[in-house]
Amino acid sequence: MHLSQILVYLSLLIALGPVGLGDQTTHQQGSTTVTEDAEQCATCDVRQQIKTMRLNAIKSQILSKLRLKQAPNISRDVVKQLLPKAPPLQQLLDQYDVLGDDNKDGIMEDDDEHAVTETIMMMATEPESIVQVDRIPKCCFFSFSPKLQANRVVRAQLWVYLRPASEATTVFLQISRLMPVTDGNRHIRIRSLKTDVNAGIGSWQSIDVKQVLTVWLRQPETNWGIEINAFDSSGNDLAVTSAEPGEEGLQPFMEVKISEGPKRARRDSGLDCDENSPESRCCRYPLTVDFEDFGWDWIIAPKRYKANYCSGECEYMHLQKYPHTHLVNKANPRGSAGPCCTPTKMSPINMLYFNRKEQIIYGKIPSMVVDRCGCS
């Protein structure tokens, strides 16, 4: 082979070389892309499974923390009928007008694994026949849980709705304790309130009954109920004490404020991601719980809240904050499943709901929002 032929041959090899390498590189890049897509799809599947598990866990946790074996069977129509159209309830509902991230950085409630009741709203029911004459009065009896302690009651208000008066007048709101008819005097006046009302305008009136409630809680046998009257200057009773047509939600109810438990502070750090994040490490992802999707109409508010969940990988090198776990895993690597991505900080949610007795409860349910995620 002549020198000129050798040079031509070498030139061809040099010219063809980059093309061949380019094809190989392109093939490798295509394989890498396919592998990455597969990994991302697998990660999405894992996150979806975790979200489903988290939602199921939340349903179980709420029932458990409220000490309910199953969700109260209260339909949306019943909820509308039972909800009092009253100022204190509206104030509570106003807190849930805007869905926001309720996470309070660095604050976490003490958790005894059960809900902490803050406010109870008890609807009036008909008293026992032993205190009635010809089924009068038809109102009002309030049932209290034996677990409710008198020393935890901060405030107790009785709310009564007054029908519109035909003219401006002075109304005398009277609360009388009911006693069995056999005891002779069955009415013992315990509280009274004088108020001026305008013509043609209905209004809610509240009266302090903490002292009465305290006696009932300490001596339950004395609780036969109360009779409510609101007489105007002409002797007309303006108090709504039973559900007449058009007066739904205007029946008397008692609002009881209960003392809260102590608080403690705790700080932590962690990663926050969204669903499109390529992050593979342990991270907190957004998750909104919708109680209407559960069919839980017995929860008045919030109708939905941000619960969040944890997902991602945990390497041993991430465990410097948890030396004990790191040493255990290092000493016994086969006997351990390795570090897990779990919540390291959780916070409560406030909830307004009906219990099995159709009482409205406003309480704090602990550990329902994932604030931070970490490896442990």
Side-chain angles (χ1 to χ4, degrees):
M1 183 179 291
H2 295 291
L3 179 61
S4 59
Q5 292 175 321
I6 292 173
L7 291 174
V8 170
Y9 182 69
L10 289 174
S11 299
L12 287 172
L13 285 177
I14 293 172
L16 291 173
V19 175
L21 290 174
D23 291 342
Q24 185 176 2
T25 303
T26 302
H27 176 71
Q28 289 176 349
Q29 288 177 345
S31 299
T32 301
T33 303
V34 171
T35 302
E36 288 178 352
D37 290 342
E39 288 179 353
Q40 288 180 354
C41 288
T43 301
C44 291
D45 290 340
V46 170
R47 288 181 191 168
Q48 187 59 46
Q49 291 176 3
I50 293 175
K51 286 168 67 175
T52 302
M53 292 172 60
R54 171 89 170 116
L55 288 172
N56 290 332
I58 286 172
K59 293 175 71 173
S60 299
Q61 286 172 359
I62 288 177
L63 294 178
S64 174
K65 291 176 180 182
L66 296 179
R67 295 181 174 91
L68 297 173
K69 293 182 179 179
Q70 58 187 13
N73 186 20
I74 300 178
S75 67
R76 190 168 300 180
D77 291 337
V78 173
V79 168
K80 290 181 180 178
Q81 181 180 353
L82 292 176
L83 275 180
K85 303 169 184 177
L89 181 64
Q90 191 57 52
Q91 290 169 7
L92 293 176
L93 290 174
D94 288 344
Q95 299 180 23
Y96 302 102
D97 279 349
V98 180
L99 173 63
D101 192 346
D102 295 326
N103 303 336
K104 306 292 190 301
D105 189 24
I107 298 297
M108 184 170 123
E109 296 288 336
D110 273 341
D111 183 7
D112 63 352
E113 297 184 356
H114 290 98
V116 178
T117 301
E118 292 184 338
T119 303
I120 304 174
M121 295 186 187
M122 286 160 286
M123 305 300 109
T125 59
E126 187 173 304
E128 294 186 28
S129 58
I130 194 173
V131 299
Q132 299 180 3
V133 176
D134 298 329
R135 291 200 63 206
I136 299 174
K138 295 182 180 179
C139 178
C140 299
F141 178 78
F142 298 94
S143 177
F144 303 98
S145 168
K147 296 181 180 179
L148 181 58
Q149 301 174 2
N151 60 358
R152 290 193 60 204
V153 175
V154 177
R155 185 182 64 192
Q157 297 284 122
L158 176 67
W159 288 84
V160 181
Y161 188 80
L162 304 184
R163 297 184 183 92
S166 57
E167 59 183 6
T169 183
T170 299
V171 174
F172 293 89
L173 178 61
Q174 299 175 356
I175 312 299
S176 302
R177 178 183 291 136
L178 293 176
M179 301 293 290
V181 178
T182 54
D183 290 352
N185 186 4
R186 52 189 287 271
H187 296 82
I188 303 174
R189 187 176 301 173
I190 50 179
R191 291 306 309 270
S192 60
L193 177 70
K194 178 181 176 181
T195 183
D196 295 326
V197 297
N198 296 322
I201 301 176
S203 63
W204 283 97
Q205 301 293 330
S206 66
I207 186 168
D208 182 14
V209 290
K210 180 182 177 182
Q211 186 176 358
V212 180
L213 175 60
T214 300
V215 173
W216 284 346
L217 293 178
R218 290 174 178 168
Q219 302 174 11
E221 69 279 4
T222 64
N223 180 17
W224 292 100
I226 57 176
E227 185 172 3
I228 302 173
N229 301 108
F231 297 109
D232 63 11
S233 55
S234 301
N236 300 313
D237 192 352
L238 303 182
V240 174
T241 55
S242 59
E244 301 296 333
E247 294 181 341
E248 294 81 4
L250 301 181
Q251 300 96 309
F253 69 96
M254 193 174 294
E255 177 194 11
V256 182
K257 175 72 176 178
I258 308 297
S259 61
E260 301 178 37
K263 298 180 180 180
R264 60 187 171 93
R266 176 177 171 183
R267 296 194 174 273
D268 205 344
S269 60
L271 292 174
D272 285 339
C273 302
D274 58 40
E275 292 298 338
N276 299 320
S277 174
E279 181 62 62
S280 62
R281 292 176 297 171
C282 178
C283 198
R284 183 184 75 153
Y285 290 88
L287 174 64
T288 299
V289 175
D290 192 326
F291 293 122
E292 292 183 342
D293 288 346
F294 291 175
W296 283 6
D297 294 322
W298 57 279
I299 294 181
I300 303 170
K303 289 300 183 184
R304 58 194 61 84
Y305 85 97
K306 293 182 180 180
N308 307 323
Y309 71 98
C310 300
S311 181
E313 299 176 0
C314 286
E315 301 292 340
Y316 288 115
M317 68 181 65
H318 295 155
L319 292 180
Q320 295 177 359
K321 289 174 59 181
Y322 309 95
H324 175 70
T325 306
H326 177 62
L327 291 174
V328 170
N329 290 334
K330 188 174 182 180
N332 186 23
R334 294 183 180 180
S336 172
C340 296
C341 181
T342 59
T344 57
K345 179 178 180 290
M346 300 190 74
S347 59
I349 62 171
N350 291 327
M351 183 179 290
L352 191 65
Y353 63 95
F354 281 100
N355 64 8
R356 289 169 296 183
K357 295 182 179 180
E358 296 184 350
Q359 296 174 340
I360 298 177
I361 308 294
Y362 177 71
K364 190 183 298 294
I365 304 183
S367 302
M368 297 306 300
V369 179
V370 174
D371 293 328
R372 294 288 181 271
C373 298
C375 297
S376 62

